[in-house]
Amino acid sequence: AQSVTQLGSHVSVSEGALVLLRCNYSSSVPPYLFWYVQYPNQGLQLLLKYTSAATLVKGINGFEAEFKKSETSFHLTKPSAHMSDAAEYFCAVSDVGYSTLTFGKGTMLLVSP
Amino acid sequence: DAGVIQSPRHEVTEMGQEVTLRCKPISGHNSLFWYRQTMMRGLELLIYFNNNVPIDDSGMPEDRFSAKMPNASFSTLKIQPSEPRDSAVYFCASSRTEVTGELFFGEGSRLTVL
């Protein structure tokens, strides 16, 4: 079964610093990969997705992620953190052609002034 | 357009009682998902419907849980009888089947079973 591993349940950064949230997937063939964000007391919303086109994917709010097959990784980055980025971020995977997603455990991003 | 609408937002009930959670997906979406979120287990897929038909219910914990989708605009998740370990946030999400992985989530129903 497909799975993703998110390294670090919490990541703390200062406002203006680089954000790096790590995600590794387990799959023998390149899957579809996603990052979702969850703000407090809300549902998840899609940040960006990789579906075998360009390996560098740009999403909303200045986030981007790079698919690296050799490292089976799909890390999420943002050059400069903003206080409003504080939320929980989930990496997710789906087999090509399947609609269901398997989510990682999530990483809580904390942004300090 | 309205997003995915879930009700109730909060439910507190006593062990043994029946709980019904409701979901209205986005109009035009033909896939519907029920997820459960807990601190211990994260986000778990409970059941997936496509065109109102249950496709994968392997994540439903046990016979106490049941889900229905009588039409394209309504789904329910029922727990009978409820137990304290069912306490969680239950999310409904919908999508267009042909757009893999782009799920639109409701705001969730927070269930507390005492």
Side-chain angles (χ1 to χ4, degrees):
Chain A
Q2 296 275 20
S3 67
V4 289
T5 301
Q6 293 185 240
L7 197 61
S9 58
H10 291 78
V11 169
S12 295
V13 299
S14 299
E15 193 171 21
L18 171 71
V19 175
L20 171 60
L21 304 182
R22 301 178 187 272
C23 173
N24 290 88
Y25 65 90
S26 66
S27 174
S28 58
V29 295
Y32 287 177
L33 292 159
F34 308 82
W35 278 99
Y36 278 77
V37 61
Q38 184 180 28
Y39 297 101
N41 299 314
Q42 294 186 24
L44 283 72
Q45 63 184 81
L46 182 66
L47 263 183
L48 51 80
K49 68 175 183 178
Y50 166 77
T51 56
S52 74
T55 57
L56 183 62
V57 182
K58 294 188 183 298
I60 61 173
N61 301 336
F63 284 91
E64 62 183 35
E66 186 172 7
F67 174 74
K68 291 188 177 180
K69 183 178 178 181
S70 61
E71 299 176 8
T72 61
S73 69
F74 190 58
H75 302 331
L76 181 71
T77 60
K78 181 174 180 177
S80 177
H82 192 272
M83 296 293 290
S84 61
D85 294 327
E88 190 158 21
Y89 292 80
F90 293 88
C91 183
V93 63
S94 174
D95 280 328
V96 175
Y98 285 81
S99 297
T100 60
L101 294 182
T102 300
F103 287 90
K105 294 286 190 184
T107 298
M108 184 69 72
L109 177 64
L110 307 169
V111 183
S112 56
Chain B
D1 286 339
V4 175
I5 299 172
Q6 292 187 244
S7 64
R9 291 293 313 278
H10 301 274
E11 175 93 6
V12 180
T13 190
E14 294 190 346
M15 184 173 63
Q17 296 298 304
E18 179 179 293
V19 174
T20 299
L21 307 179
R22 298 173 177 81
C23 175
K24 177 178 169 56
I26 293 173
S27 177
H29 283 189
N30 52 1
S31 291
L32 184 138
F33 309 81
W34 282 99
Y35 280 88
R36 178 172 67 177
Q37 185 177 39
T38 61
M39 290 289 290
M40 292 298 294
R41 301 173 69 93
L43 272 163
E44 302 172 278
L45 176 66
L46 299 178
I47 188 168
Y48 157 51
F49 292 88
N50 184 244
N51 293 323
N52 313 336
V53 176
I55 303 299
D56 181 2
D57 66 353
S58 59
M60 295 286 264
E62 49 200 90
D63 292 345
R64 297 185 297 107
F65 285 68
S66 62
K68 294 182 180 179
M69 192 166 185
N71 56 61
S73 59
F74 184 66
S75 177
T76 60
L77 178 68
K78 186 175 291 186
I79 308 171
Q80 166 65 17
S82 58
E83 297 183 2
R85 59 190 168 128
D86 302 330
S87 298
V89 181
Y90 291 82
F91 287 102
C92 177
S94 70
S95 73
R96 288 165 41 210
T97 308
E98 60 272 23
V99 185
T100 302
E102 289 193 26
L103 273 57
F104 292 78
F105 282 77
E107 293 189 317
S109 295
R110 182 176 295 275
L111 173 65
T112 303
V113 183
L114 303 175

